[in-house]
Amino acid sequence: MQEVKKRQPLYLPGDPSNNVYLLKQGRVKLANTGASGKEVTFEILEPGEIFGELEVLEGLPRETAAEALDDAMICVIRREDFDRYLEMHPSITVKLTKLIGLRLRRIQSRVEDLVFRDVPARLAHLLVELIKSGGVQEPRGIRLKAKLTHQEMANLIGCSRETVSHTLGQFRDEGLIHIDGRTIIILKMDALSRLVS
């Protein structure tokens, strides 16, 4: 087990792939930064998720950066131990393949968002996805468990922080959401879903 402080990187692009990680507490961001300095976030991981496995399986250097978004607790599994565990438990290999496929579909969905949808539709899609991965039903609506900053949302949907703030303000003014600090409550799920489609 390893304690990681907020904003501490776990690995950077080009680093050797010596470990697989299991997130126990906190959140971790998988991202990359382009030559222009613009960051693209591929995934924000929640407790219980495994990451870093793909490069370990392929024996390649890291292609993305992993950074703790909060103080986190992470189980670090050495490559040799991970390989041995997969040999001893073949059923885990099948589950891992499904997980990799699911992540690939999510990334494909994000690419389609960038190409085919405007910012309000992309942001609505992100909010709907966040509901699926951790929404809590409350009397007035669905509260998102994930508390992302506007910059983190912008990095996930490929736009500026200012555009996210403006669009969230529009959603609030239209009565689709309620914002309380970094907590978002979805008031009209059907209207958000219509924006996505």
Side-chain angles (χ1 to χ4, degrees):
M1 297 300 290
Q2 181 179 333
E3 290 184 31
V4 182
K5 294 294 182 192
K6 182 177 180 176
R7 301 293 173 206
Q8 180 181 331
L10 291 149
Y11 54 79
L12 298 169
D15 285 354
S17 311
N18 298 326
N19 301 310
V20 174
Y21 302 89
L22 176 62
L23 182 58
K24 302 292 281 181
Q25 293 174 356
R27 296 175 304 148
V28 167
K29 170 178 71 175
L30 302 181
N32 220 335
T33 305
S36 65
K38 184 175 173 65
E39 182 181 281
V40 176
T41 301
F42 299 111
E43 196 86 45
I44 293 181
L45 305 170
E46 300 285 336
E49 295 197 67
I50 189 170
F51 62 101
E53 76 289 344
L54 192 55
E55 292 103 339
V56 163
L57 290 170
E58 294 180 320
L60 296 173
R62 298 293 180 193
E63 293 183 354
T64 60
E67 177 186 292
L69 289 177
D70 314 302
D71 289 347
M73 181 70 72
I74 297 171
C75 177
V76 181
I77 307 163
R78 292 182 318 134
R79 164 192 243 138
E80 302 79 25
D81 296 333
F82 186 67
D83 288 342
R84 193 163 36 250
Y85 188 81
L86 291 180
E87 286 174 15
M88 292 168 57
H89 301 89
S91 63
I92 298 295
T93 306
V94 173
K95 291 178 182 174
L96 202 53
T97 304
K98 288 180 181 176
L99 173 70
I100 291 167
L102 175 66
R103 286 205 181 132
L104 185 60
R105 276 199 308 278
R106 276 192 264 184
I107 290 171
Q108 183 179 352
S109 175
R110 291 231 176 89
V111 170
E112 287 173 0
D113 273 359
L114 289 172
V115 174
F116 299 119
R117 293 188 172 121
D118 61 11
V119 170
R122 293 198 310 254
L123 186 55
H125 188 223
L126 175 63
L127 295 176
V128 169
E129 289 299 310
L130 291 172
I131 289 168
K132 290 177 187 173
S133 65
V136 179
Q137 185 67 52
E138 294 185 347
R140 69 186 296 190
I142 303 169
R143 177 175 49 83
L144 300 181
K145 280 175 37 179
K147 294 186 178 180
L148 303 177
T149 66
H150 291 190
Q151 186 62 60
E152 289 164 350
M153 289 185 202
N155 291 347
L156 280 164
I157 66 169
C159 69
S160 70
R161 181 192 57 76
E162 294 79 9
T163 303
V164 165
S165 299
H166 176 74
T167 308
L168 284 173
Q170 283 182 319
F171 288 177
R172 181 196 58 224
D173 295 344
E174 293 166 11
L176 305 181
I177 63 173
H178 172 76
I179 302 171
D180 184 10
R182 280 176 57 191
T183 300
I184 297 176
I185 299 173
I186 308 301
L187 303 176
K188 295 183 179 174
M189 177 67 178
D190 54 340
L192 267 188
S193 297
R194 278 197 302 274
L195 268 178
V196 174
S197 56

